[in-house]
Amino acid sequence: MNVRLVSYDPKYDASLRALELAIVQGRSIKLEILKDHFLSRTTVYKTYHTCLAVDENEKAIGTAIGAKTEMIVNGDRFPSGVCYDVKVHPLYRKKGVGKLMAKHFYQTFFKEHGLTRNFITLKLSNHPVIRLVSAVHKIWLYEFVYLTLPTKARVPQQRQANEHPFLFSITLFQEETVDPSYYTVLPNGLGYFYTYKMYRLAITHIHPVLKWGLRIGQLLQPARYAHAPQEGDTLRFACLYNHDAQNIKGINDVLEELEHQAINYLLVGCRKGDVIYRALEKQSINTYGYYVLADFPLNKKDKVTIDVRCL
């Protein structure tokens, strides 16, 4: 198989679109990722690198993009590389294409920028990427979750006990280099990032059993499931950042602003059982389990802060 690696060029746009359509996101709920441009998720970074795997017919069969960001672990702030949009066409999987791209990043982008501690965020179920990275480098997995809040919902105010340590945080690093039209920070300190400007999600199919479950949920818990997405919907998200045990009580200010902007959902990253999770879980219509997959030691007791652009 003749595969070579190239940087992004507009001449590959048609085959990149075909690659996106060939990859099914989700099982019970099938999703299509919508982007205005291949680089829509990338230009929010000052320093980045694109890698396309193309076949002998010059068609894109794989992609990987990396960017330079920062990370904080146990108070130590350092430059870090992040990878995303890592995908290989189903017909070319298990043929070394992903491994070729992973090695390329370590030998070029990470090395050239002195990035020795790097990571990727991915679903708990994304075993192919976990196997891919572990074949190139030793890995560590740090678990977190996304809560999905409809912006039409409101969160009842309640006192939160602080018996669980608050270990996982999200912020916007290098804010001065980011186009200010991509984020908003409220006086209470909460920020939200316009993730939908990078990508949106179209629901192409919902399994009949799940449809039935949603209808039951709407009957039994209408406040929670009244705004659940439907088949055919296109979802516009924002991601919360700078949230902590003190300012999370201002979450309704964020939800109200986003609702007025016709943004459907707010994604909130947290750890299961922490103060953020306990405050918001009852208003969330679903919970997605994710990993921070790192190529340096991380354990579940570490205090970790990542960049909202990486979500």
Side-chain angles (χ1 to χ4, degrees):
M1 183 177 61
N2 183 19
V3 175
R4 65 191 186 94
L5 303 182
V6 298
S7 296
Y8 167 75
D9 187 284
K11 69 181 182 181
Y12 299 113
D13 281 346
S15 61
L16 285 169
R17 178 59 179 157
L19 173 61
E20 290 278 4
L21 293 174
I23 297 174
V24 177
Q25 301 283 340
R27 295 181 181 178
S28 298
I29 300 179
K30 293 183 179 180
L31 304 170
E32 179 184 348
I33 296 177
L34 304 177
K35 295 189 290 187
D36 295 333
H37 190 275
F38 178 70
L39 297 179
S40 293
R41 194 176 173 184
T42 301
T43 52
V44 294
Y45 297 98
K46 183 178 179 181
T47 303
Y48 59 85
H49 178 72
T50 61
C51 176
L52 309 184
V54 299
D55 65 10
E56 59 273 12
N57 298 314
E58 288 292 284
K59 290 186 177 180
I61 59 170
T63 67
I65 305 178
K68 182 179 180 180
T69 179
E70 293 181 85
M71 199 173 185
I72 302 174
V73 177
N74 298 326
D76 177 23
R77 179 169 174 170
F78 53 87
S80 182
V82 61
C83 271
Y84 52 93
D85 283 354
V86 178
K87 56 193 70 174
V88 176
H89 193 287
L91 296 178
Y92 290 85
R93 290 174 183 170
K94 298 183 179 180
K95 296 183 179 180
V97 176
K99 189 174 181 180
L100 184 66
M101 293 190 295
K103 286 184 175 180
H104 169 79
F105 265 94
Y106 275 99
Q107 294 168 357
T108 58
F109 183 69
F110 292 159
K111 183 177 180 180
E112 289 171 5
H113 292 277
L115 302 173
T116 58
R117 289 180 280 184
N118 311 291
F119 70 99
I120 185 172
T121 62
L122 72 168
K123 291 180 181 178
L124 299 186
S125 60
N126 197 341
H127 304 297
V129 172
I130 294 173
R131 288 194 296 266
L132 164 64
V133 181
S134 63
V136 176
H137 204 287
K138 187 175 181 180
I139 65 168
W140 286 262
L141 298 173
Y142 183 91
E143 194 168 337
F144 71 101
V145 298
Y146 281 124
L147 301 179
T148 306
L149 274 63
T151 58
K152 292 181 180 294
R154 295 297 179 267
V155 178
Q157 295 301 304
Q158 52 190 311
R159 291 190 63 184
Q160 294 294 331
N162 293 316
E163 67 270 18
H164 291 275
F166 185 67
L167 296 177
F168 182 66
S169 301
I170 299 168
T171 192
L172 177 57
F173 289 114
Q174 305 157 2
E175 182 180 291
E176 68 281 356
T177 68
V178 181
D179 182 342
S181 69
Y182 275 84
Y183 64 90
T184 295
V185 180
L186 276 61
N188 59 22
L190 291 173
Y192 55 89
F193 195 83
Y194 296 106
T195 306
Y196 79 90
K197 292 188 176 184
M198 298 192 295
Y199 63 92
R200 299 169 299 283
L201 296 175
I203 300 178
T204 60
H205 177 74
I206 299 178
H207 192 281
V209 173
L210 184 55
K211 286 182 182 178
W212 178 82
L214 287 172
R215 285 195 291 269
I216 296 298
Q218 289 167 348
L219 290 172
L220 299 179
Q221 295 179 281
R224 184 171 188 171
Y225 292 103
H227 310 297
Q230 304 297 316
E231 193 171 280
D233 286 354
T234 296
L235 311 182
R236 288 157 45 98
F237 294 94
C239 280
L240 190 71
Y241 67 94
N242 289 349
H243 45 295
D244 58 34
Q246 286 69 48
N247 65 19
I248 195 61
K249 61 182 179 291
I251 187 67
N252 287 334
D253 295 336
V254 175
L255 294 171
E256 184 175 355
E257 286 198 7
L258 292 173
E259 182 186 6
H260 289 161
Q261 296 174 55
I263 298 171
N264 314 94
Y265 299 97
L266 176 67
L267 296 179
V268 183
C270 56
R271 295 283 296 275
K272 267 194 173 181
D274 72 12
V275 64
I276 305 300
Y277 183 88
R278 297 197 313 278
L280 305 180
E281 189 273 335
K282 290 183 179 179
Q283 274 64 48
S284 175
I285 59 172
N286 54 41
T287 301
Y288 288 115
Y290 263 69
Y291 287 129
V292 174
L293 184 159
D295 64 3
F296 60 94
L298 276 184
N299 69 69
K300 64 181 181 180
K301 294 183 179 180
D302 285 330
K303 188 174 177 60
V304 174
T305 301
I306 65 172
D307 197 317
V308 68
R309 293 173 293 179
C310 303
L311 301 177

